[in-house]
């Protein structure tokens, strides 16, 4: 700042005094007569005004000085550096708050205390020399000492000092460098450890210094690098990376190294190839920085590993090719196995049906025919004793017929093949309830019509699971549901609330003695391309879920049909029956008062016995006999009878199919079913096809004749 001359200051002050005097109006009083006296009075007034201005300036300066002093004190007390002053003997004269905290006591309790008291013993002489040098030279060399604050951990402090202007105090500035010192110590230890690790590491390592001109200079290498490369590292120290390894000049690898050294990239790992007169191989490289501008390149020659991996890839490709071929073969075998399993299932079912058919078509029909003829004889007995004998024979035959019927049903339920899977499940409900007292809640949609081998397998699997419920669950109720939640997939769930079981224990026992039941079911379902899931726990009931496709591959041989009602209707909408005009059936005259009948049954003995019985009635006339459904359909068009007594189980076309076709085109012809299979599902299927009812072949002649004479028949 440039000081103004005193004359200039006084001139400015007088000017200000003149202006203030003029503004106060002091000169408005009458001037003295004497001009000299007047000038003297004016000068005195101006001088007085100057004194007032100077006094105001002094007051303002004092206020500013006090504010600055307060601000200085605040800065001094709350400075981030500890300040303290000591005399020549080292006694503390003054210190700020941070210095007091460094020494571990209140500021007021530190005044007059010897400073060396708070310094580590080995540093007391350092402090004494520092104070002495300050009083001698006015500026001591900075030093680092340890403070021992009361009740706290030691701290490392850097001291700088200067002599006070009056020469009576050594002023010190104390900076806490504990963290920095610890970091430097740790860094030195880390560097020593790192160098020890590098020196003894089996991994090859080069250390480079990144210079300001952008070059990477090799400064160190470990023994592993010499072994890996085969070049003594002493010949490479001090060289640039391009000079040591010319192939890296201008490469992306070199750019990566420099970016990592500058801190632009973090640790980089990659595989590179190198090939020159001295070095050849594939190297796995890790580049990382350990300090400002210090780059470590760790590397390992993996030439052998790369070649091994290449051979392994080749072997893997060959194995993959073999696996694909074997998989294709396995898939083909699986398809064949599934087809064979389906054929086995159908062969088993055909054998069941063959045995059942032998019982039904021969033994059972002969028994029924014998019973019918016996009843004819019984209607005209020669003597009372003969009537009793005939009654006993009738009872024996009836029991035999019932036994053969039950055996036929158990071997191969006809409802499964004639009415479909859903109807078979409903039949199973009644059969289990009657035979074992197991009440099964059935929820099966008849609209779902899986392929024959699927239906047969599912029926037997569900029946087996329900047998398990009877034997092991300890309850008298279960449930079965059949649905199609996924397209082309059928879901059947069998569950009960019985004692349950441990699935792991049961699964471990599968395929061993006592464990073939579930194992057999699981295998049969999986061979169809499905799966079985089981959920159970002791005391928590059991649930078995079967997932199977709606259609499964069958061998290109026989493909049997189960004959559901909807399928039968579709067949007859497209059927062509030779010799029959479906549009114009012939009209046949009726004998007065006679009910004209056609009897359709494939067993001749039973058919002829039934005809003999019917012809004994004066109001009945048998106008035709048929051995299968096709013949019954022909006779219906040719003879236009009042009634066709229709057996269900017949070759070529069964009774349900024939009834469907007849009732579709000849509404006036009535059909009465007569069969050894009169369970609820057969009865429902026959009535749905158009029959008025289904009676058992073993029913009394009176019931059969009464049904044919029902009065509603005339108006139906």
């Amino acid at each position: 700042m440039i000081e103004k001359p005193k004359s200039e200051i006084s001139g400015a002050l007088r000017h200000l005094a003149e202006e203030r005097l003029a503004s106060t109006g002091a000169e408005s009083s009458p001037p003295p007569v004497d001009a000299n006296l007047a000038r003297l009075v004016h000068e005195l007034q101006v001088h007085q005004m100057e004194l007032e201005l100077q006094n105001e300036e002094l007051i303002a300066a004092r206020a500013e000085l006090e504010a600055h002093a307060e601000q200085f004190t605040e800065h001094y007390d709350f400075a981030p550096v500890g300040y303290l002053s000591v005399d020549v003997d080292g006694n503390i004269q003054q210190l700020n708050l941070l210095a007091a905290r460094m020494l571990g006591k209140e500021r007021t309790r530190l005044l007059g205390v010897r400073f060396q008291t708070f310094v580590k013993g080995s540093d007391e002489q350092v402090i004494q020399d520092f104070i002495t040098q300050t009083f001698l030279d006015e500026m001591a060399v900075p030093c680092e000492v340890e403070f021992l604050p009361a009740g706290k951990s030691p701290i490392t402090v850097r001291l700088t000092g200067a002599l006070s202007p009056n020469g009576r105090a050594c002023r010190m500035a104390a900076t806490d460098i504990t963290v920095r010192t610890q970091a430097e110590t740790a860094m030195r230890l880390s560097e020593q450890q790192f160098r020890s690790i590098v020196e003894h590491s089996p991994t090859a390592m080069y250390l480079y210094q990144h210079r300001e001109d952008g070059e990477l200079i090799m400064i160190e290498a470990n023994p592993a690098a010499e072994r890996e490369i085969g070049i003594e590292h002493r010949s490479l120290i001090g060289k640039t990376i391009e000079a040591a390894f010319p192939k890296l000049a201008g490469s992306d690898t070199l750019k990566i190294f420099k970016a990592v050294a500058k801190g632009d990239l973090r640790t980089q790992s990659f595989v590179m190839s190198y090939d020159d007169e001295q070095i050849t191989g594939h190297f796995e490289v890790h580049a990382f920085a350990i300090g400002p501008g210090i780059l470590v390149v760790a590397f390992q020659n993996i030439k052998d590993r790369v070649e091994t991996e290449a051979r392994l890839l080749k072997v893997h490709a060959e194995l993959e090719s073999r696996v694909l071929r074997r998989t294709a073969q396995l898939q083909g075998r699986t398809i064949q196995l599934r087809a064979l399993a389906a054929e086995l299932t159908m062969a088993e079912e055909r054998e069941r049906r063959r045995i059942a058919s032998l019982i039904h078509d021969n033994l059972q029909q002969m028994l029924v025919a014998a019973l019918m003829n016996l009843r004819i004889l019984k209607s005209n007995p020669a003597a009372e004793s003969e009537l009793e004998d005939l009654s006993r024979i009738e009872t024996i035959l009836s029991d035999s017929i019932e036994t053969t019927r039950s055996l036929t049903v158990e071997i191969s339920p006809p409802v499964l093949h004639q009415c479909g899977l859903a109807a078979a499940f409903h039949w199973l409900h009644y059969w289990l309830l009657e035979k074992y007292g197991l009440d099964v809640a059935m929820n099966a949609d008849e609209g779902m019509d899986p392929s024959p081998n699927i239906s047969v397998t599912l029926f037997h699997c569900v029946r087996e699971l329900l047998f398990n419920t009877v034997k092991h669950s300890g309850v008298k109720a279960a449930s079965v549901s059949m649905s199609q939640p996924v397209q082309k997939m059928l879901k059947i769930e069998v569950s009960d609330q019985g004692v349950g079981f441990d699935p792991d224990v049961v699964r471990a026992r599968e395929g061993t003695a006592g464990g073939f039941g579930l194992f057999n079911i699981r295998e049969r379902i999986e061979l169809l391309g499905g799966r079985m899931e089981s959920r159970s726990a002791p005391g928590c009931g059991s649930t078995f879920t079967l997932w199977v496709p709606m259609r499964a591959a069958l061998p290109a041989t026989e493909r049997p049909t189960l004959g559901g009602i909807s399928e039968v209707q579709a067949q007859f909408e497209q059927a062509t029956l030779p010799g029959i005009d479906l549009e114009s059936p012939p009209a046949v005259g009726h004998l007065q008062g006679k009910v004209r009948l056609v009897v359709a049954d494939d067993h001749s003995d039973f058919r002829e016995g039934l005809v003999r019985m019917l012809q004994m009635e004066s109001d009945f006339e048998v106008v035709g006999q048929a051995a299968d459904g096709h013949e019954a359909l022909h006779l219906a068009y040719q003879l236009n009878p009042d009634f066709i007594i229709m057996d269900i189980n017949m070759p070529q076309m069964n009774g349900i199919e024939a009834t469907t076709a007849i009732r579709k085109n000849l509404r006036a012809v009535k059909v009465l079913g007569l069969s050894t299979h009169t369970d609820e599902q057969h009865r429902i299927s026959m009535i749905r096809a158009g029959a008025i009812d289904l009676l058992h072949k073993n029913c009394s002649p009176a019931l059969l004749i009464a049904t044919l004479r029902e009065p509603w028949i005339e108006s139906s």
Side-chain angles (χ1 to χ4, degrees):
M1 182 177 178
I2 301 176
E3 296 185 358
K4 295 182 179 180
K6 290 185 178 180
S7 59
E8 187 176 342
I9 295 175
S10 61
L13 184 62
R14 181 177 179 84
H15 180 70
L16 289 173
E18 291 279 1
E19 288 181 351
R20 178 172 288 188
L21 182 64
S23 64
T24 59
E27 297 183 344
S28 60
S29 58
V33 178
D34 189 352
N36 291 329
L37 183 58
R39 282 195 300 274
L40 181 59
V41 170
H42 178 73
E43 287 297 327
L44 289 173
Q45 289 176 338
V46 170
H47 184 62
Q48 182 180 358
M49 194 61 67
E50 286 179 349
L51 291 175
E52 291 179 357
L53 288 172
Q54 288 178 349
N55 187 48
E56 290 177 359
E57 287 181 0
L58 287 173
I59 293 172
R62 183 176 180 179
E64 184 178 359
L65 183 61
E66 290 176 351
H68 286 169
E70 183 178 354
Q71 186 176 11
F72 172 78
T73 302
E74 183 177 345
H75 282 273
Y76 177 77
D77 280 340
F78 297 102
V81 178
Y83 294 115
L84 67 158
S85 299
V86 299
D87 60 18
V88 69
D89 295 325
N91 299 319
I92 298 173
Q93 295 180 340
Q94 189 179 9
L95 72 167
N96 66 352
L97 294 177
L98 181 58
R101 285 199 297 272
M102 286 181 176
L103 299 179
K105 289 188 177 181
E106 295 181 4
R107 179 163 52 177
T108 56
R109 298 176 61 185
L110 290 169
L111 297 177
V113 179
R114 193 166 182 270
F115 177 52
Q116 283 90 328
T117 306
F118 302 97
V119 177
K120 188 172 70 171
S122 58
D123 290 336
E124 289 185 13
Q125 187 60 45
V126 176
I127 292 295
Q128 186 59 52
D129 294 343
F130 181 83
I131 294 173
T132 301
Q133 187 179 5
T134 301
F135 277 101
L136 292 175
D137 300 335
E138 297 186 355
M139 184 68 72
V141 177
C143 64
E144 295 180 4
V145 296
E146 277 196 34
F147 282 3
L148 302 175
K152 296 182 180 179
S153 300
I155 60 174
T156 304
V157 178
R158 187 175 188 273
L159 292 178
T160 58
L163 192 64
S164 64
N166 60 11
R168 296 179 180 177
C170 171
R171 294 176 175 174
M172 301 182 192
T175 305
D176 188 349
I177 60 171
T178 304
V179 176
R180 190 190 74 186
T181 303
Q182 292 173 348
E184 289 175 352
T185 302
M187 185 176 294
R188 284 194 297 272
L189 291 174
S190 297
E191 184 177 353
Q192 292 173 0
Q193 292 174 350
F194 177 75
R195 287 188 176 276
S196 176
I197 291 171
V198 169
E199 198 68 22
H200 297 89
S201 174
T203 302
M205 293 186 186
Y206 285 148
L207 273 70
Y208 293 94
Q209 175 72 52
H210 187 258
R211 295 192 314 202
E212 293 183 358
D213 60 2
E215 295 291 343
L216 286 174
I217 305 298
M218 185 181 295
I219 58 176
E220 191 62 71
N222 67 350
E226 291 186 4
R227 293 192 299 269
E228 195 73 58
I229 299 298
I231 301 175
E232 291 187 2
H233 66 266
R234 286 193 297 270
S235 64
L236 302 177
I237 300 298
K239 288 185 178 181
T240 64
I241 193 169
E242 296 96 326
F245 305 105
K247 290 286 186 178
L248 294 180
S251 67
D252 291 338
T253 301
L254 183 58
K255 294 177 183 178
I256 291 173
F257 288 164
K258 291 183 177 181
V260 173
K262 289 190 296 182
D264 296 339
L265 291 176
R266 294 185 177 181
T267 301
Q268 298 294 303
S269 301
F270 53 89
V271 175
M272 59 170 287
S273 298
Y274 193 90
D275 187 9
D276 63 12
E277 295 179 356
Q278 293 181 298
I279 304 171
T280 301
H282 298 278
F283 296 90
E284 185 177 41
V285 181
H286 304 278
F288 55 95
I290 60 169
I294 303 298
L295 174 70
V296 176
V297 177
F299 59 94
Q300 182 180 6
N301 193 340
I302 57 171
K303 178 181 178 181
D304 293 340
R305 191 176 81 186
V306 171
E307 292 175 352
T308 301
E309 288 178 353
R311 289 194 297 270
L312 286 175
L313 286 174
K314 183 178 180 181
V315 172
H316 179 72
E318 293 177 356
L319 288 176
E320 284 287 340
S321 177
R322 292 181 183 179
V323 168
L324 289 175
R325 290 197 299 270
R326 293 294 176 86
T327 301
Q329 293 174 358
L330 181 60
Q331 289 174 344
R333 295 290 176 84
T334 301
I335 293 173
Q336 292 175 353
L337 185 60
R338 287 180 178 175
L340 289 173
E343 175 62 18
L344 178 61
T345 298
M346 297 310 299
E348 178 186 352
E349 190 61 24
R350 284 195 296 270
E351 185 62 17
R352 285 172 175 268
R353 293 184 68 184
R354 187 185 70 81
I355 296 172
S357 178
L358 286 174
I359 297 173
H360 174 272
D361 295 344
N362 294 297
L363 178 59
Q364 193 172 4
Q365 297 298 334
M366 286 188 291
L367 290 172
V368 171
L371 180 61
M372 183 169 294
N373 285 285
L374 181 64
R375 284 171 176 168
I376 294 173
L377 293 174
K378 188 179 174 183
S379 62
N380 295 301
E384 188 67 25
S385 59
E386 292 182 0
L387 182 59
E388 293 178 1
D389 293 337
L390 292 174
S391 297
R392 283 195 298 271
I393 296 173
E394 180 182 10
T395 302
I396 295 171
L397 289 174
S398 297
D399 293 342
S400 300
I401 291 170
E402 181 59 28
T403 300
T404 56
R405 186 196 68 81
S406 177
L407 181 60
T408 302
V409 167
E410 289 189 25
I411 292 175
S412 178
V415 65
L416 174 64
H417 307 281
Q418 296 167 352
C419 306
L421 182 60
F425 281 158
H426 287 292
W427 169 86
L428 187 60
H429 158 73
Y430 293 108
W431 186 77
L432 288 168
L433 184 61
E434 177 183 354
K435 194 170 184 67
Y436 300 105
L438 181 67
D439 187 5
V440 182
M442 288 288 179
N443 181 15
D445 185 359
E446 294 188 3
M448 287 177 282
D449 186 22
S451 61
N453 56 330
I454 295 291
S455 295
V456 169
T457 301
L458 286 177
F459 177 81
H460 290 300
C461 289
V462 169
R463 185 162 66 172
E464 180 69 22
L465 290 172
L466 292 173
F467 281 160
N468 287 341
T469 300
V470 171
K471 291 185 289 185
H472 305 299
S473 71
V475 295
K476 291 295 184 180
S479 65
V480 175
S481 66
M482 181 171 68
S483 59
Q484 192 178 352
V486 181
Q487 187 178 11
K488 297 183 180 179
M489 289 295 290
L490 198 63
K491 175 186 177 183
I492 296 182
E493 192 169 84
V494 182
S495 61
D496 64 68
Q497 300 300 316
V499 296
F501 60 90
D502 186 337
D504 293 334
V505 173
V506 173
R507 189 65 184 264
R509 199 172 65 241
E510 285 184 6
T512 62
F516 281 103
L518 293 180
F519 175 77
N520 182 40
I521 294 173
R522 190 187 306 278
E523 289 297 309
R524 294 175 72 179
I525 293 298
E526 289 179 356
L527 285 173
L528 291 176
R531 69 182 188 276
M532 182 178 79
E533 301 169 355
S534 59
R535 300 191 306 275
S536 185
C540 298
S542 306
T543 299
F544 297 91
T545 304
L546 309 180
W547 292 89
V548 291
M550 289 289 289
R551 296 287 180 267
L554 277 174
T557 56
E558 179 184 355
R559 294 179 181 268
T561 303
L562 293 185
I565 295 301
S566 60
E567 185 178 336
V568 171
Q569 291 175 346
Q571 290 174 355
F572 281 97
E573 286 177 358
Q574 302 175 0
T576 301
L577 300 178
I580 298 179
D581 184 1
L582 296 180
E583 299 295 332
S584 304
V588 179
H590 290 210
L591 295 176
Q592 187 66 27
K594 295 279 189 179
V595 177
R596 304 174 68 255
L597 305 170
V598 169
V599 177
D601 194 293
D602 61 325
H603 198 280
S604 58
D605 290 340
F606 174 79
R607 187 174 67 245
E608 291 171 0
L610 180 59
V611 170
R612 283 177 55 199
M613 185 187 73
L614 293 173
Q615 287 179 338
M616 293 174 65
E617 303 298 322
S618 59
D619 55 342
F620 289 167
E621 180 186 6
V622 178
V623 297
Q625 297 182 42
D628 57 48
H630 274 300
E631 289 186 11
L633 188 57
H634 277 276
L635 292 177
Y637 275 90
Q638 292 173 356
L639 303 176
N640 195 21
D642 297 307
F643 257 105
I644 296 180
I645 300 175
M646 186 79 71
D647 186 17
I648 291 181
N649 190 20
M650 294 187 294
Q652 302 299 323
M653 179 187 293
N654 64 40
I656 297 174
E657 298 169 345
T659 301
T660 301
I662 291 169
R663 294 297 294 167
K664 180 177 177 62
N665 299 286
L666 299 171
R667 302 293 297 177
V669 177
K670 303 171 188 63
V671 177
L672 174 62
L674 198 62
S675 176
T676 56
H677 304 301
T678 55
D679 53 82
E680 186 66 18
Q681 295 308 311
H682 274 101
R683 185 170 182 272
I684 290 173
S685 297
M686 199 64 179
I687 291 174
R688 284 181 178 174
I692 62 171
D693 205 347
L694 176 65
L695 300 180
H696 197 287
K697 287 185 176 181
N698 195 23
C699 70
S700 66
L703 176 60
L704 174 61
I705 292 170
T707 304
L708 294 173
R709 288 176 176 166
E710 280 289 336
W712 58 267
I713 293 175
E714 297 297 329
S715 58
S716 61

